[in-house]
Amino acid sequence: MDDAAKRVLISEKEIERRVGELAAQISADYTGQELVLLGVLKGAFIFLADLSRRLTIPRVVEFIAVTSYESGSVPSGAVRLIMDVRKSIEDKHVLIVEDIVDTGHTLHYLMEMLETRGPASIKTCALVRKSGTAQVDVTIDYLGFDIPDEWVVGYGLDFAEKYRTLPYIGVIDTDE
Ligand code: PRP
């Protein structure tokens, strides 16, 4: 299986630098508080692993899994919860960690659902956001990069489950 993307969009070095900046900003903003990092599976697993290890504040890691895309490249718009958090988030400071925000449906769904559970606060962090594809308004409190509307893979992002473990973010032709 050839897992090299056609073109590098964001290099390993650029990702490392930006993740460090985000971690510093988050650590400063949450000084004196414990943070629940809520990774959205599967895509966020690598970003969350790197981000969580560079924070300097007390933190715990939780995961949630949703699915928003049909297999392949066609977004369905529907979001479905397939795995919930294990611990209550009531009175906790929660940071949702996403690899990518595209239409915004996933984050919008998660914010609405998690807000009903009484967290002390809830914010969002995404490594990349596609430009011009939003269908619902969502606030991203901590954003790594704005990217063009292309199919990106690597650093957790897949195409039909391929390419997730590439160390950089690359672009592929989806008709390959
Ligand atoms: C991707 C990504 C986000 C979501 C963003 O997940 O990880 O969760 O799509 O898209 P949206 O803004 O249009 O809702 P995907 O459903 O591909 O699942 P995966 O993370 O398991 O690959």
Side-chain angles (χ1 to χ4, degrees), residues 40-44 66-69 75 79 98-107 151 156-158 161 164:
V40 185
L41 293 173
K42 295 181 189 173
V66 293
T67 185
S68 63
Y69 284 5
V79 179
E98 266 286 21
D99 50 341
I100 187 168
V101 176
D102 184 352
T103 64
H105 284 297
T106 304
L107 258 195
W151 194 282
L157 292 153
D158 75 309
E161 295 303 326
R164 281 197 203 275

